[in-house]
Amino acid sequence: MDLKIEHDKKNQRFFVKKNDDVSELKYKVLDDNTLDYYTTYVPENLRHQGIAAQITEEALQYARDNDYQVVASCPYVKSYIIEHPQYQSLLKKI
């Protein structure tokens, strides 16, 4: 499924609209080098289609491309990073 994922910097989220429903990953800027990906939401009728994975992939690639470290407060993002070791270097050492 090819989704048009958008980045809304003002509201600090990555999101996609499908059938008038919005799926999103929200974040907070903790400092100049760190983003906290704290929640991921996909409406129930759109779950199990890989939407959360695609949004998370986009958000992590954004962090990598812009030299951010990531705090994965969201359990989904945390599990995604565990399953995709190429992103583990983005995790902020606390």
Side-chain angles (χ1 to χ4, degrees), residues 6-15 23-31 34-40 55 59 62 68:
E6 298 181 57
H7 183 193
D8 177 359
K9 283 186 179 183
K10 180 181 176 199
N11 294 303
Q12 300 182 339
R13 68 184 186 141
F14 292 88
F15 72 99
S23 302
E24 65 185 358
L25 183 156
K26 291 183 178 181
Y27 66 91
K28 296 176 195 166
V29 176
L30 299 180
D31 60 40
T34 312
L35 302 176
D36 179 5
Y37 291 162
Y38 70 91
T39 189
T40 306
I55 294 172
Y62 172 81
Y68 285 108

PDB file of all heavy atoms in Angstrom, residues 6-15 23-31 34-40 55 59 62 68:
ATOM      1  N   GLU A   6       2.451  12.696   5.423  1.00  0.00           N
ATOM      2  CA  GLU A   6       2.802  14.112   5.518  1.00  0.00           C
ATOM      3  C   GLU A   6       3.421  14.403   6.878  1.00  0.00           C
ATOM      4  O   GLU A   6       3.121  13.735   7.855  1.00  0.00           O
ATOM      5  CB  GLU A   6       1.552  14.965   5.314  1.00  0.00           C
ATOM      6  CG  GLU A   6       0.929  14.773   3.936  1.00  0.00           C
ATOM      7  CD  GLU A   6      -0.287  15.626   3.722  1.00  0.00           C
ATOM      8  OE1 GLU A   6      -0.153  16.861   3.863  1.00  0.00           O
ATOM      9  OE2 GLU A   6      -1.361  15.071   3.435  1.00  0.00           O
ATOM     10  N   HIS A   7       4.284  15.409   6.887  1.00  0.00           N
ATOM     11  CA  HIS A   7       4.914  15.844   8.131  1.00  0.00           C
ATOM     12  C   HIS A   7       4.379  17.227   8.463  1.00  0.00           C
ATOM     13  O   HIS A   7       4.588  18.179   7.708  1.00  0.00           O
ATOM     14  CB  HIS A   7       6.427  15.873   7.982  1.00  0.00           C
ATOM     15  CG  HIS A   7       7.140  16.240   9.238  1.00  0.00           C
ATOM     16  ND1 HIS A   7       8.462  16.572   9.258  1.00  0.00           N
ATOM     17  CD2 HIS A   7       6.725  16.325  10.529  1.00  0.00           C
ATOM     18  CE1 HIS A   7       8.829  16.859  10.495  1.00  0.00           C
ATOM     19  NE2 HIS A   7       7.786  16.714  11.283  1.00  0.00           N
ATOM     20  N   ASP A   8       3.701  17.338   9.571  1.00  0.00           N
ATOM     21  CA  ASP A   8       3.139  18.606  10.053  1.00  0.00           C
ATOM     22  C   ASP A   8       4.028  19.084  11.202  1.00  0.00           C
ATOM     23  O   ASP A   8       3.812  18.724  12.356  1.00  0.00           O
ATOM     24  CB  ASP A   8       1.697  18.361  10.503  1.00  0.00           C
ATOM     25  CG  ASP A   8       1.026  19.589  11.086  1.00  0.00           C
ATOM     26  OD1 ASP A   8       1.668  20.657  11.184  1.00  0.00           O
ATOM     27  OD2 ASP A   8      -0.156  19.468  11.471  1.00  0.00           O
ATOM     28  N   LYS A   9       5.049  19.873  10.871  1.00  0.00           N
ATOM     29  CA  LYS A   9       6.002  20.324  11.892  1.00  0.00           C
ATOM     30  C   LYS A   9       5.332  21.191  12.950  1.00  0.00           C
ATOM     31  O   LYS A   9       5.666  21.106  14.126  1.00  0.00           O
ATOM     32  CB  LYS A   9       7.149  21.109  11.250  1.00  0.00           C
ATOM     33  CG  LYS A   9       8.163  20.250  10.564  1.00  0.00           C
ATOM     34  CD  LYS A   9       9.327  21.104  10.084  1.00  0.00           C
ATOM     35  CE  LYS A   9      10.370  20.239   9.421  1.00  0.00           C
ATOM     36  NZ  LYS A   9      11.539  21.017   8.999  1.00  0.00           N
ATOM     37  N   LYS A  10       4.397  22.033  12.531  1.00  0.00           N
ATOM     38  CA  LYS A  10       3.736  22.934  13.471  1.00  0.00           C
ATOM     39  C   LYS A  10       3.046  22.151  14.590  1.00  0.00           C
ATOM     40  O   LYS A  10       3.129  22.509  15.762  1.00  0.00           O
ATOM     41  CB  LYS A  10       2.726  23.812  12.735  1.00  0.00           C
ATOM     42  CG  LYS A  10       2.004  24.778  13.643  1.00  0.00           C
ATOM     43  CD  LYS A  10       0.985  25.614  12.879  1.00  0.00           C
ATOM     44  CE  LYS A  10       0.233  26.500  13.853  1.00  0.00           C
ATOM     45  NZ  LYS A  10      -1.015  26.979  13.307  1.00  0.00           N
ATOM     46  N   ASN A  11       2.344  21.080  14.233  1.00  0.00           N
ATOM     47  CA  ASN A  11       1.625  20.262  15.218  1.00  0.00           C
ATOM     48  C   ASN A  11       2.408  19.026  15.641  1.00  0.00           C
ATOM     49  O   ASN A  11       1.872  18.154  16.321  1.00  0.00           O
ATOM     50  CB  ASN A  11       0.252  19.873  14.675  1.00  0.00           C
ATOM     51  CG  ASN A  11      -0.633  21.093  14.518  1.00  0.00           C
ATOM     52  OD1 ASN A  11      -0.861  21.822  15.478  1.00  0.00           O
ATOM     53  ND2 ASN A  11      -1.104  21.339  13.311  1.00  0.00           N
ATOM     54  N   GLN A  12       3.648  18.949  15.210  1.00  0.00           N
ATOM     55  CA  GLN A  12       4.579  17.886  15.589  1.00  0.00           C
ATOM     56  C   GLN A  12       3.967  16.496  15.420  1.00  0.00           C
ATOM     57  O   GLN A  12       3.786  15.743  16.379  1.00  0.00           O
ATOM     58  CB  GLN A  12       5.083  18.103  17.018  1.00  0.00           C
ATOM     59  CG  GLN A  12       5.815  19.423  17.161  1.00  0.00           C
ATOM     60  CD  GLN A  12       6.375  19.655  18.542  1.00  0.00           C
ATOM     61  OE1 GLN A  12       5.951  19.075  19.536  1.00  0.00           O
ATOM     62  NE2 GLN A  12       7.360  20.530  18.638  1.00  0.00           N
ATOM     63  N   ARG A  13       3.706  16.177  14.154  1.00  0.00           N
ATOM     64  CA  ARG A  13       3.159  14.852  13.856  1.00  0.00           C
ATOM     65  C   ARG A  13       3.445  14.461  12.415  1.00  0.00           C
ATOM     66  O   ARG A  13       3.627  15.309  11.546  1.00  0.00           O
ATOM     67  CB  ARG A  13       1.661  14.811  14.107  1.00  0.00           C
ATOM     68  CG  ARG A  13       0.863  15.645  13.131  1.00  0.00           C
ATOM     69  CD  ARG A  13      -0.608  15.665  13.467  1.00  0.00           C
ATOM     70  NE  ARG A  13      -1.343  16.362  12.410  1.00  0.00           N
ATOM     71  CZ  ARG A  13      -2.519  15.998  11.967  1.00  0.00           C
ATOM     72  NH1 ARG A  13      -3.132  14.945  12.471  1.00  0.00           N
ATOM     73  NH2 ARG A  13      -3.123  16.677  11.012  1.00  0.00           N
ATOM     74  N   PHE A  14       3.493  13.163  12.193  1.00  0.00           N
ATOM     75  CA  PHE A  14       3.502  12.580  10.866  1.00  0.00           C
ATOM     76  C   PHE A  14       2.120  11.961  10.720  1.00  0.00           C
ATOM     77  O   PHE A  14       1.639  11.296  11.638  1.00  0.00           O
ATOM     78  CB  PHE A  14       4.576  11.492  10.750  1.00  0.00           C
ATOM     79  CG  PHE A  14       5.973  12.046  10.830  1.00  0.00           C
ATOM     80  CD1 PHE A  14       6.589  12.207  12.059  1.00  0.00           C
ATOM     81  CD2 PHE A  14       6.661  12.404   9.687  1.00  0.00           C
ATOM     82  CE1 PHE A  14       7.873  12.722  12.154  1.00  0.00           C
ATOM     83  CE2 PHE A  14       7.940  12.924   9.766  1.00  0.00           C
ATOM     84  CZ  PHE A  14       8.548  13.080  10.998  1.00  0.00           C
ATOM     85  N   PHE A  15       1.483  12.160   9.570  1.00  0.00           N
ATOM     86  CA  PHE A  15       0.125  11.643   9.445  1.00  0.00           C
ATOM     87  C   PHE A  15      -0.201  11.269   8.007  1.00  0.00           C
ATOM     88  O   PHE A  15       0.477  11.661   7.062  1.00  0.00           O
ATOM     89  CB  PHE A  15      -0.895  12.661   9.959  1.00  0.00           C
ATOM     90  CG  PHE A  15      -1.071  13.865   9.068  1.00  0.00           C
ATOM     91  CD1 PHE A  15      -2.136  13.936   8.183  1.00  0.00           C
ATOM     92  CD2 PHE A  15      -0.180  14.922   9.114  1.00  0.00           C
ATOM     93  CE1 PHE A  15      -2.301  15.038   7.357  1.00  0.00           C
ATOM     94  CE2 PHE A  15      -0.335  16.024   8.301  1.00  0.00           C
ATOM     95  CZ  PHE A  15      -1.401  16.085   7.411  1.00  0.00           C
ATOM     96  N   SER A  23      -4.498   8.706  10.471  1.00  0.00           N
ATOM     97  CA  SER A  23      -3.562   7.916  11.278  1.00  0.00           C
ATOM     98  C   SER A  23      -2.354   8.811  11.519  1.00  0.00           C
ATOM     99  O   SER A  23      -1.964   9.581  10.635  1.00  0.00           O
ATOM    100  CB  SER A  23      -3.129   6.659  10.524  1.00  0.00           C
ATOM    101  OG  SER A  23      -4.239   5.871  10.173  1.00  0.00           O
ATOM    102  N   GLU A  24      -1.755   8.706  12.713  1.00  0.00           N
ATOM    103  CA  GLU A  24      -0.661   9.627  13.007  1.00  0.00           C
ATOM    104  C   GLU A  24       0.331   9.082  14.015  1.00  0.00           C
ATOM    105  O   GLU A  24       0.025   8.172  14.781  1.00  0.00           O
ATOM    106  CB  GLU A  24      -1.207  10.958  13.515  1.00  0.00           C
ATOM    107  CG  GLU A  24      -1.928  10.864  14.830  1.00  0.00           C
ATOM    108  CD  GLU A  24      -2.574  12.177  15.249  1.00  0.00           C
ATOM    109  OE1 GLU A  24      -2.438  13.196  14.552  1.00  0.00           O
ATOM    110  OE2 GLU A  24      -3.222  12.179  16.306  1.00  0.00           O
ATOM    111  N   LEU A  25       1.515   9.680  13.968  1.00  0.00           N
ATOM    112  CA  LEU A  25       2.547   9.486  14.980  1.00  0.00           C
ATOM    113  C   LEU A  25       2.874  10.887  15.479  1.00  0.00           C
ATOM    114  O   LEU A  25       3.251  11.753  14.689  1.00  0.00           O
ATOM    115  CB  LEU A  25       3.784   8.824  14.370  1.00  0.00           C
ATOM    116  CG  LEU A  25       4.929   8.486  15.330  1.00  0.00           C
ATOM    117  CD1 LEU A  25       5.763   7.368  14.752  1.00  0.00           C
ATOM    118  CD2 LEU A  25       5.804   9.668  15.658  1.00  0.00           C
ATOM    119  N   LYS A  26       2.690  11.103  16.775  1.00  0.00           N
ATOM    120  CA  LYS A  26       2.957  12.421  17.361  1.00  0.00           C
ATOM    121  C   LYS A  26       4.314  12.400  18.066  1.00  0.00           C
ATOM    122  O   LYS A  26       4.740  11.376  18.595  1.00  0.00           O
ATOM    123  CB  LYS A  26       1.873  12.789  18.373  1.00  0.00           C
ATOM    124  CG  LYS A  26       0.526  13.049  17.742  1.00  0.00           C
ATOM    125  CD  LYS A  26      -0.462  13.487  18.797  1.00  0.00           C
ATOM    126  CE  LYS A  26      -1.811  13.797  18.224  1.00  0.00           C
ATOM    127  NZ  LYS A  26      -2.749  14.256  19.268  1.00  0.00           N
ATOM    128  N   TYR A  27       4.942  13.565  18.069  1.00  0.00           N
ATOM    129  CA  TYR A  27       6.239  13.680  18.737  1.00  0.00           C
ATOM    130  C   TYR A  27       6.364  15.021  19.446  1.00  0.00           C
ATOM    131  O   TYR A  27       5.583  15.942  19.215  1.00  0.00           O
ATOM    132  CB  TYR A  27       7.381  13.499  17.737  1.00  0.00           C
ATOM    133  CG  TYR A  27       7.504  14.577  16.683  1.00  0.00           C
ATOM    134  CD1 TYR A  27       8.296  15.694  16.883  1.00  0.00           C
ATOM    135  CD2 TYR A  27       6.837  14.461  15.472  1.00  0.00           C
ATOM    136  CE1 TYR A  27       8.422  16.675  15.914  1.00  0.00           C
ATOM    137  CE2 TYR A  27       6.959  15.421  14.490  1.00  0.00           C
ATOM    138  CZ  TYR A  27       7.755  16.531  14.711  1.00  0.00           C
ATOM    139  OH  TYR A  27       7.877  17.500  13.743  1.00  0.00           O
ATOM    140  N   LYS A  28       7.368  15.086  20.308  1.00  0.00           N
ATOM    141  CA  LYS A  28       7.737  16.326  20.993  1.00  0.00           C
ATOM    142  C   LYS A  28       9.214  16.572  20.703  1.00  0.00           C
ATOM    143  O   LYS A  28      10.013  15.635  20.689  1.00  0.00           O
ATOM    144  CB  LYS A  28       7.577  16.197  22.511  1.00  0.00           C
ATOM    145  CG  LYS A  28       6.171  15.985  22.989  1.00  0.00           C
ATOM    146  CD  LYS A  28       6.177  15.785  24.507  1.00  0.00           C
ATOM    147  CE  LYS A  28       4.852  15.208  24.954  1.00  0.00           C
ATOM    148  NZ  LYS A  28       4.896  14.692  26.306  1.00  0.00           N
ATOM    149  N   VAL A  29       9.556  17.834  20.513  1.00  0.00           N
ATOM    150  CA  VAL A  29      10.962  18.209  20.384  1.00  0.00           C
ATOM    151  C   VAL A  29      11.478  18.416  21.801  1.00  0.00           C
ATOM    152  O   VAL A  29      11.018  19.307  22.506  1.00  0.00           O
ATOM    153  CB  VAL A  29      11.123  19.490  19.540  1.00  0.00           C
ATOM    154  CG1 VAL A  29      12.585  19.908  19.493  1.00  0.00           C
ATOM    155  CG2 VAL A  29      10.552  19.295  18.147  1.00  0.00           C
ATOM    156  N   LEU A  30      12.402  17.567  22.236  1.00  0.00           N
ATOM    157  CA  LEU A  30      12.929  17.666  23.597  1.00  0.00           C
ATOM    158  C   LEU A  30      14.080  18.664  23.694  1.00  0.00           C
ATOM    159  O   LEU A  30      14.230  19.346  24.702  1.00  0.00           O
ATOM    160  CB  LEU A  30      13.374  16.297  24.094  1.00  0.00           C
ATOM    161  CG  LEU A  30      12.275  15.227  24.173  1.00  0.00           C
ATOM    162  CD1 LEU A  30      12.852  13.922  24.686  1.00  0.00           C
ATOM    163  CD2 LEU A  30      11.117  15.695  25.045  1.00  0.00           C
ATOM    164  N   ASP A  31      14.900  18.710  22.660  1.00  0.00           N
ATOM    165  CA  ASP A  31      15.984  19.685  22.569  1.00  0.00           C
ATOM    166  C   ASP A  31      16.406  19.761  21.111  1.00  0.00           C
ATOM    167  O   ASP A  31      15.757  19.173  20.245  1.00  0.00           O
ATOM    168  CB  ASP A  31      17.151  19.342  23.517  1.00  0.00           C
ATOM    169  CG  ASP A  31      17.778  17.990  23.234  1.00  0.00           C
ATOM    170  OD1 ASP A  31      17.944  17.621  22.048  1.00  0.00           O
ATOM    171  OD2 ASP A  31      18.124  17.290  24.206  1.00  0.00           O
ATOM    172  N   THR A  34      16.954  16.046  19.847  1.00  0.00           N
ATOM    173  CA  THR A  34      16.181  14.900  20.308  1.00  0.00           C
ATOM    174  C   THR A  34      14.687  15.069  20.063  1.00  0.00           C
ATOM    175  O   THR A  34      14.104  16.088  20.413  1.00  0.00           O
ATOM    176  CB  THR A  34      16.402  14.665  21.814  1.00  0.00           C
ATOM    177  OG1 THR A  34      17.799  14.693  22.100  1.00  0.00           O
ATOM    178  CG2 THR A  34      15.826  13.325  22.246  1.00  0.00           C
ATOM    179  N   LEU A  35      14.096  14.021  19.501  1.00  0.00           N
ATOM    180  CA  LEU A  35      12.647  13.948  19.314  1.00  0.00           C
ATOM    181  C   LEU A  35      12.104  12.802  20.154  1.00  0.00           C
ATOM    182  O   LEU A  35      12.698  11.722  20.188  1.00  0.00           O
ATOM    183  CB  LEU A  35      12.301  13.685  17.840  1.00  0.00           C
ATOM    184  CG  LEU A  35      12.809  14.692  16.824  1.00  0.00           C
ATOM    185  CD1 LEU A  35      12.457  14.237  15.405  1.00  0.00           C
ATOM    186  CD2 LEU A  35      12.239  16.071  17.096  1.00  0.00           C
ATOM    187  N   ASP A  36      10.986  13.027  20.809  1.00  0.00           N
ATOM    188  CA  ASP A  36      10.300  11.977  21.565  1.00  0.00           C
ATOM    189  C   ASP A  36       9.087  11.553  20.759  1.00  0.00           C
ATOM    190  O   ASP A  36       8.128  12.298  20.618  1.00  0.00           O
ATOM    191  CB  ASP A  36       9.868  12.503  22.933  1.00  0.00           C
ATOM    192  CG  ASP A  36       9.115  11.465  23.758  1.00  0.00           C
ATOM    193  OD1 ASP A  36       8.997  10.301  23.321  1.00  0.00           O
ATOM    194  OD2 ASP A  36       8.628  11.839  24.841  1.00  0.00           O
ATOM    195  N   TYR A  37       9.137  10.334  20.194  1.00  0.00           N
ATOM    196  CA  TYR A  37       7.991   9.779  19.476  1.00  0.00           C
ATOM    197  C   TYR A  37       7.120   9.111  20.539  1.00  0.00           C
ATOM    198  O   TYR A  37       7.440   8.029  21.027  1.00  0.00           O
ATOM    199  CB  TYR A  37       8.456   8.772  18.433  1.00  0.00           C
ATOM    200  CG  TYR A  37       9.202   9.409  17.268  1.00  0.00           C
ATOM    201  CD1 TYR A  37      10.000   8.656  16.433  1.00  0.00           C
ATOM    202  CD2 TYR A  37       9.087  10.764  16.994  1.00  0.00           C
ATOM    203  CE1 TYR A  37      10.659   9.225  15.358  1.00  0.00           C
ATOM    204  CE2 TYR A  37       9.750  11.347  15.920  1.00  0.00           C
ATOM    205  CZ  TYR A  37      10.525  10.570  15.104  1.00  0.00           C
ATOM    206  OH  TYR A  37      11.176  11.141  14.043  1.00  0.00           O
ATOM    207  N   TYR A  38       6.042   9.791  20.926  1.00  0.00           N
ATOM    208  CA  TYR A  38       5.318   9.369  22.122  1.00  0.00           C
ATOM    209  C   TYR A  38       3.974   8.691  21.881  1.00  0.00           C
ATOM    210  O   TYR A  38       3.447   8.061  22.799  1.00  0.00           O
ATOM    211  CB  TYR A  38       5.154  10.537  23.101  1.00  0.00           C
ATOM    212  CG  TYR A  38       4.211  11.638  22.662  1.00  0.00           C
ATOM    213  CD1 TYR A  38       2.865  11.595  23.012  1.00  0.00           C
ATOM    214  CD2 TYR A  38       4.675  12.714  21.922  1.00  0.00           C
ATOM    215  CE1 TYR A  38       2.001  12.605  22.620  1.00  0.00           C
ATOM    216  CE2 TYR A  38       3.821  13.725  21.541  1.00  0.00           C
ATOM    217  CZ  TYR A  38       2.485  13.671  21.887  1.00  0.00           C
ATOM    218  OH  TYR A  38       1.639  14.674  21.495  1.00  0.00           O
ATOM    219  N   THR A  39       3.402   8.788  20.703  1.00  0.00           N
ATOM    220  CA  THR A  39       2.146   8.066  20.471  1.00  0.00           C
ATOM    221  C   THR A  39       1.921   7.816  18.991  1.00  0.00           C
ATOM    222  O   THR A  39       2.288   8.645  18.151  1.00  0.00           O
ATOM    223  CB  THR A  39       0.933   8.806  21.078  1.00  0.00           C
ATOM    224  OG1 THR A  39      -0.225   7.974  21.005  1.00  0.00           O
ATOM    225  CG2 THR A  39       0.637  10.111  20.360  1.00  0.00           C
ATOM    226  N   THR A  40       1.363   6.674  18.711  1.00  0.00           N
ATOM    227  CA  THR A  40       0.972   6.302  17.354  1.00  0.00           C
ATOM    228  C   THR A  40      -0.492   5.897  17.410  1.00  0.00           C
ATOM    229  O   THR A  40      -0.896   5.164  18.315  1.00  0.00           O
ATOM    230  CB  THR A  40       1.812   5.114  16.844  1.00  0.00           C
ATOM    231  OG1 THR A  40       3.195   5.447  16.973  1.00  0.00           O
ATOM    232  CG2 THR A  40       1.510   4.779  15.401  1.00  0.00           C
ATOM    233  N   ILE A  55       4.190   4.876   8.726  1.00  0.00           N
ATOM    234  CA  ILE A  55       4.349   6.185   9.362  1.00  0.00           C
ATOM    235  C   ILE A  55       5.601   6.192  10.243  1.00  0.00           C
ATOM    236  O   ILE A  55       6.381   7.144  10.245  1.00  0.00           O
ATOM    237  CB  ILE A  55       3.104   6.567  10.185  1.00  0.00           C
ATOM    238  CG1 ILE A  55       1.898   6.771   9.261  1.00  0.00           C
ATOM    239  CG2 ILE A  55       3.357   7.833  11.008  1.00  0.00           C
ATOM    240  CD1 ILE A  55       0.585   6.960  10.001  1.00  0.00           C
ATOM    241  N   ALA A  59       8.929   8.547   9.997  1.00  0.00           N
ATOM    242  CA  ALA A  59       9.381   9.359  11.127  1.00  0.00           C
ATOM    243  C   ALA A  59      10.831   9.041  11.492  1.00  0.00           C
ATOM    244  O   ALA A  59      11.623   9.948  11.780  1.00  0.00           O
ATOM    245  CB  ALA A  59       8.465   9.139  12.325  1.00  0.00           C
ATOM    246  N   TYR A  62      13.131  10.451   8.875  1.00  0.00           N
ATOM    247  CA  TYR A  62      13.234  11.894   9.082  1.00  0.00           C
ATOM    248  C   TYR A  62      14.274  12.194  10.175  1.00  0.00           C
ATOM    249  O   TYR A  62      15.122  13.073  10.013  1.00  0.00           O
ATOM    250  CB  TYR A  62      11.878  12.482   9.472  1.00  0.00           C
ATOM    251  CG  TYR A  62      11.958  13.930   9.883  1.00  0.00           C
ATOM    252  CD1 TYR A  62      11.992  14.940   8.934  1.00  0.00           C
ATOM    253  CD2 TYR A  62      12.030  14.289  11.232  1.00  0.00           C
ATOM    254  CE1 TYR A  62      12.100  16.276   9.309  1.00  0.00           C
ATOM    255  CE2 TYR A  62      12.118  15.615  11.616  1.00  0.00           C
ATOM    256  CZ  TYR A  62      12.159  16.610  10.643  1.00  0.00           C
ATOM    257  OH  TYR A  62      12.270  17.926  11.033  1.00  0.00           O
ATOM    258  N   TYR A  68      18.749  13.698  14.223  1.00  0.00           N
ATOM    259  CA  TYR A  68      18.095  13.665  15.527  1.00  0.00           C
ATOM    260  C   TYR A  68      18.326  12.321  16.201  1.00  0.00           C
ATOM    261  O   TYR A  68      18.454  11.302  15.534  1.00  0.00           O
ATOM    262  CB  TYR A  68      16.574  13.844  15.397  1.00  0.00           C
ATOM    263  CG  TYR A  68      16.118  15.247  15.108  1.00  0.00           C
ATOM    264  CD1 TYR A  68      15.617  15.593  13.865  1.00  0.00           C
ATOM    265  CD2 TYR A  68      16.170  16.236  16.094  1.00  0.00           C
ATOM    266  CE1 TYR A  68      15.173  16.875  13.599  1.00  0.00           C
ATOM    267  CE2 TYR A  68      15.736  17.526  15.836  1.00  0.00           C
ATOM    268  CZ  TYR A  68      15.243  17.833  14.584  1.00  0.00           C
ATOM    269  OH  TYR A  68      14.809  19.112  14.339  1.00  0.00           O
TER     270      TYR A  68
END
